[in-house]
Amino acid sequence: MEIYKTIKNEAQDEFVERRSKFIGYIKPVQEEQEAIDFINEKKRIHWDATHNVYAYILRNGQIKRYSDDGEPQGTAGIPVLDVLQKAGIVDAVVVVTRYFGGILLGGGGLVRAYSHGASIAVNAGGIITMEKSLKVALSCDYNQYGKLSGVVPLFGGNIYNSEFTDCVGLEFYLPKDKYESFIKELADITCGSVEAEIIGEEWVEAN
């Protein structure tokens, strides 16, 4: 898998449904312990809440976990997990906290409320696509720098480091499927005087 979707930022949002207050939290995570720590943090903060329902999905180990936290089985944790799955989101944890307002919502009402709590958290955090990219380095003369720094983005690249000494050193991320095309363009515009080197791979946010 060369791309996946996840959440950009830790975020939260809330709403009230028939006097019950629902707070949806979300955070990007990569390890299960991160997810557990986030869940436990929300439980500590909302120790007086009626329920702290959660779900998370991790790429590493293809882990999926959820909890109804005392709500009727299938009305809370699964709907939260389903929001992540339908959006194709991985490496993320959601906690939906409920403060009971005294009016029962019924099974269908709970499913809708917890789904909405997860959805508004997702919207607040923002969905991004992560892409397996090559880390590429090159050195060029100062008179080539302007042209090359403009070419990199045309191939979906993102310069993350520039060094200016007796020459210019550039390090940038480049989508794997664009590398061969970039190398051909590089040879053309520099008449073969500049060579690029792959120095690693990393998951980065797609442009």
Side-chain angles (χ1 to χ4, degrees):
M1 184 175 63
E2 299 298 325
I3 62 171
Y4 68 90
K5 290 181 181 179
T6 190
I7 293 298
K8 185 176 181 65
N9 300 305
E10 180 178 343
Q12 70 182 77
D13 202 351
E14 61 185 63
F15 71 101
V16 175
E17 178 67 25
R18 300 180 70 181
R19 298 182 185 174
S20 281
K21 181 179 180 180
F22 291 85
I23 310 169
Y25 296 96
I26 197 163
K27 183 180 181 180
V29 293
Q30 293 185 328
E31 302 295 336
E32 188 163 24
Q33 191 59 52
E34 289 182 83
I36 293 170
D37 289 345
F38 183 72
I39 294 163
N40 288 336
E41 174 193 345
K42 299 311 172 191
K43 286 182 175 181
R44 284 193 298 271
I45 292 171
H46 298 290
W47 60 270
D48 57 341
T50 318
H51 307 280
N52 287 290
V53 170
Y54 68 79
Y56 58 88
I57 302 177
L58 303 173
R59 286 187 309 122
N60 188 13
Q62 297 183 325
I63 295 171
K64 297 179 183 180
R65 301 273 192 270
Y66 67 88
S67 170
D68 293 314
D69 194 34
E71 292 283 28
Q73 186 175 359
T75 64
I78 289 179
V80 172
L81 181 67
D82 195 46
V83 167
L84 295 177
Q85 292 186 131
K86 285 182 176 178
I89 295 168
V90 296
D91 284 356
V93 56
V94 174
V95 177
V96 181
T97 296
R98 180 191 185 189
Y99 285 90
F100 182 54
I103 301 175
L104 296 175
L105 301 182
L110 287 174
V111 170
R112 288 189 294 273
Y114 280 104
S115 294
H116 186 59
S119 295
I120 62 175
V122 167
N123 290 338
I127 300 175
I128 57 173
T129 298
M130 300 296 288
E131 185 173 41
K132 193 63 168 292
S133 294
L134 299 172
K135 296 175 71 175
V136 182
L138 62 79
S139 295
C140 64
D141 293 333
Y142 277 82
N143 60 4
Q144 297 170 312
Y145 167 65
K147 184 179 292 186
L148 291 182
S149 63
V151 167
V152 170
L154 296 179
F155 289 84
N158 179 30
I159 297 172
Y160 66 87
N161 187 37
S162 302
E163 293 186 357
F164 302 92
T165 55
D166 54 334
C167 60
V168 181
L170 297 179
E171 293 181 356
F172 52 94
Y173 299 115
L174 194 71
K176 295 179 74 173
D177 61 351
K178 299 293 180 62
Y179 181 73
E180 294 300 327
S181 298
F182 173 78
I183 291 301
K184 290 179 182 178
E185 181 70 12
L186 179 66
D188 287 345
I189 65 176
T190 67
C191 299
S193 64
V194 175
E195 294 185 357
E197 175 189 6
I198 297 173
I199 57 175
E201 291 187 1
E202 194 165 317
W203 288 101
V204 298
E205 184 177 347
N207 292 329

